[in-house]
Amino acid sequence: MQHRAVRRRSVVMGTVAAAGVAAVGGGAASAQAAGSGGTRATRASGALVFDKDDHTELTETIKDAAGTGHEVVYRFYKARPYVTDPVDAAYQSLVVSVPVRIDGKAVDTTGAPVVLANAIGGYMPSSVAQATGVGQAGGAGPSGSPSASPTGTPGGGTGGGAGGAGGRANLAQLALVAGYVVVEPGARGRSLVDASGTYYGTAPAAIVDLKAAVRYLRFNQGRIPGDTDRIVSTGTSAGGALSALLGASGDSPLYDRYLKELGAADASDAIFATGAWCPITDLEHADGAYEWNWGSNVTQSTGKVVDQGVSRELRARFAEYQASLKLRGLNGFGPLTARTYDRYLLTTYLQPAATAYLAALPESGRAAYLAANPFLTWSGGKATFTWEDYLAHVGARKKTAPAFDAFDLSAAENNEFGTGTTEARHFTDYGLRNDTTGLTAKRLDGDIPELLRLMNPMHFLKEGNPGRSRHWWIRLGTDDTDTALTVSANLAAAADNLGDEVDHAYYWDQGHGADTDPDAFLAWVARVTGHRG
């Protein structure tokens, strides 16, 4: 049974301390808080009121998406908790940045979109407790807090949704210089362990925290600058998965008991638009999708040859799952199945991505690229090639099989589904059945199905959740072997099939975490929100 009443840690610093929100004891205290709705609402209405005067005015030179520097004067609101009863306030807090003047020109943020830029990567914790300016969110929490992965390599990759790790676009800074209000939320993550050895940041902690942050913003409508009815979420990798989940699951009652236990504000957690880059999501089906996509690339980048028997079995499981979704591709493509998906990816995403890349090159550069990559045919201003040639072009895969629910429980996602003092668990029957750690259980733990539902945006899109985002920006690099191309394509198709607006594209020859068109994203935000700043 999943342990929910974890021991709470009292961590206060800076404005977190000033807000007067101390972590409280678990167990009975949590149960009492969860069961007293009126008291909870009263407490939240006072403790969670945003103090618009508690800020520092900063001046920085910040580059826009084109690389041009601008003098930006902005109000920075240091970290403040977004719940009344945080498990760990160092992570369950947010910072707000509001532009005042850009290159000497006053900025009116009255109706500006609010960009909620999370910096979560690998389902690890993300903290803003020590941030002193915009775009500083990241995995490094307060001194002494864990930030390293206890098991394996983070399957979700590193951050970048806000902080721009690894040279990625710093969307928090770019949004600020575009004139938007920027909110950077911290969140618990899978590696957090208290003194008793209890993991208190595993599923569904991260998505619950992000929902609580949204509720805080909407509860403070009129106090927090910007239009809190126009919240646009962004995230990369695991952060992209959580951004997509935030968009898909808006106002779902499935999270209410978790939010109540934390003392989240009594407000909506629905967001207006979703930005997701290389989302590591649909985890219970990700192993099959990975083998369908990369299974013919039998060698890992480490040189290890992947077990082909496992790969074949997982591909078969993907075919069954894909058929069950009953999705139709964008642009009138038709049914998306294991048999049609390669053609869909080629015609809808891969060839257009290569075409855009080659068209942007000078003639000499294009000629050189084509000479080095003879599998590409360039004719009439369009690039064509086969699926097999594309896979050969990408080459070695990153991960073994299974890629996500590892037989030896070493994957980051195994840790994401840990519970209590148990560091890692299987979350698929296939992973459990082939366990190599000595487990004798015949069935998955009883709480796993609920956790999978809470962590997968596809469940909410399949049901047509009425509180979902209606605007979707989804991006992925064509060389990204951290996940399958079908994961983001299914997400896009599911939203599109519901009638939502979807802007989904791939970056040619780009790897995990790529964001090569942030200027287009910011323009998209202005268009879908109706912002005329």
Side-chain angles (χ1 to χ4, degrees):
M1 180 66 67
Q2 182 83 0
H3 298 288
R4 296 298 174 196
V6 299
R7 181 173 287 103
R8 300 182 183 275
R9 303 174 67 236
S10 180
V11 182
V12 290
M13 57 183 60
T15 309
V16 173
V21 182
V24 300
S30 296
Q32 181 181 8
S36 53
T39 302
R40 169 73 70 200
T42 301
R43 291 173 58 197
S45 65
L48 297 180
V49 170
F50 181 80
D51 184 353
K52 62 183 180 181
D53 296 322
D54 181 18
H55 62 79
T56 302
E57 190 166 284
L58 303 175
T59 301
E60 293 186 39
T61 298
I62 301 176
K63 291 183 179 180
D64 62 19
T68 303
H70 299 271
E71 183 182 78
V72 181
V73 179
Y74 67 100
R75 293 174 182 170
F76 181 71
Y77 296 83
K78 292 183 179 180
R80 59 209 64 216
Y82 47 70
V83 291
T84 59
D85 298 317
V87 176
D88 191 335
Y91 296 95
Q92 294 170 294
S93 57
L94 55 76
V95 297
V96 179
S97 299
V98 182
V100 176
R101 291 185 301 280
I102 299 176
D103 292 332
K105 182 180 178 180
V107 178
D108 181 6
T109 58
T110 303
V114 176
V115 175
L116 183 73
N118 84 65
I120 297 166
Y123 290 100
M124 296 287 280
S126 178
S127 176
V128 296
Q130 295 177 347
T132 57
V134 67
Q136 296 180 8
S143 177
S145 293
S147 60
S149 170
T151 60
T153 301
T158 56
R168 299 167 190 164
N170 190 316
L171 289 177
Q173 291 185 356
L174 293 178
L176 187 73
V177 78
Y180 304 150
V181 174
V182 176
V183 177
E184 298 170 81
R188 290 168 294 166
R190 61 184 175 85
S191 65
L192 294 173
V193 189
D194 68 13
S196 69
T198 296
Y199 288 84
Y200 63 92
T202 54
I207 184 60
V208 171
D209 287 352
L210 292 182
K211 282 179 169 290
V214 172
R215 288 191 174 197
Y216 176 89
L217 297 177
R218 301 196 69 163
F219 171 77
N220 281 290
Q221 185 174 32
R223 289 184 287 265
I224 289 181
D227 185 352
T228 56
D229 286 332
R230 293 291 186 271
I231 297 174
V232 182
S233 174
T234 72
T236 301
S237 191
L242 290 162
S243 181
L245 180 56
L246 191 64
S249 65
D251 287 339
S252 170
L254 296 179
Y255 301 89
D256 284 352
R257 67 186 179 96
Y258 302 97
L259 290 161
K260 183 177 291 186
E261 184 183 56
L262 295 174
D266 184 12
S268 170
D269 54 63
I271 61 173
F272 185 79
T274 300
W277 287 258
C278 55
I280 302 290
T281 193
D282 200 2
L283 296 178
E284 63 265 44
H285 306 109
D287 288 326
Y290 195 91
E291 295 312 312
W292 178 90
N293 197 151
W294 307 114
S296 63
N297 294 8
V298 300
T299 305
Q300 283 183 258
S301 55
T302 60
K304 177 183 177 181
V305 176
V306 174
D307 187 318
Q308 292 304 287
V310 170
S311 183
R312 284 192 298 272
E313 289 178 357
L314 288 171
R315 286 199 296 271
R317 294 169 74 91
F318 169 77
E320 293 179 4
Y321 170 63
Q322 190 62 43
S324 74
L325 290 175
K326 296 181 171 58
L327 293 174
R328 302 183 71 83
L330 276 65
N331 306 321
F333 177 84
L336 293 180
T337 68
R339 291 180 178 273
T340 65
Y341 228 131
D342 54 355
R343 181 164 57 90
Y344 176 65
L345 290 171
L346 272 175
T347 59
T348 307
Y349 298 113
L350 297 175
Q351 291 177 352
T355 296
Y357 175 81
L358 288 167
L361 293 176
E363 187 173 347
S364 59
R366 183 163 56 248
Y369 187 91
L370 290 169
N373 296 278
F375 75 94
L376 275 162
T377 297
W378 180 254
S379 178
K382 292 184 178 181
T384 57
F385 45 90
T386 68
W387 174 252
E388 290 73 21
D389 283 338
Y390 160 70
L391 292 177
H393 175 64
V394 174
R397 54 190 277 167
K398 179 176 181 179
K399 298 180 178 180
T400 188
F404 297 91
D405 188 0
F407 294 157
D408 62 358
L409 294 173
S410 63
E413 290 74 19
N414 293 122
N415 179 212
E416 171 64 4
F417 289 98
T419 181
T421 57
T422 300
E423 179 182 9
R425 292 189 296 171
H426 289 295
F427 53 91
T428 68
D429 57 356
Y430 187 81
L432 178 63
R433 189 166 68 246
N434 292 280
D435 174 79
T436 60
T437 68
L439 294 178
T440 58
K442 302 299 181 183
R443 296 182 180 179
L444 295 172
D445 287 352
D447 63 318
I448 290 292
E450 178 194 9
L451 294 177
L452 291 172
R453 181 179 177 84
L454 292 172
M455 295 301 294
N456 193 343
M458 294 299 292
H459 290 297
F460 298 96
L461 292 175
K462 187 175 182 179
E463 296 171 354
N465 176 40
R468 71 183 184 280
S469 165
R470 296 302 205 273
H471 305 276
W472 300 79
W473 177 278
I474 305 171
R475 292 294 187 269
L476 183 70
T478 62
D479 279 7
D480 187 351
T481 62
D482 277 60
T483 186
L485 304 184
T486 60
V487 171
S488 64
N490 274 347
L491 185 66
D496 173 82
N497 290 184
L498 290 172
D500 298 347
E501 183 201 30
V502 177
D503 191 323
H504 182 211
Y506 293 5
Y507 304 125
W508 184 252
D509 277 356
Q510 296 296 308
H512 194 62
D515 181 4
T516 66
D517 59 350
D519 53 341
F521 170 70
L522 295 170
W524 177 82
V525 171
R527 181 179 63 78
V528 299
T529 61
H531 181 58
R532 298 290 183 268

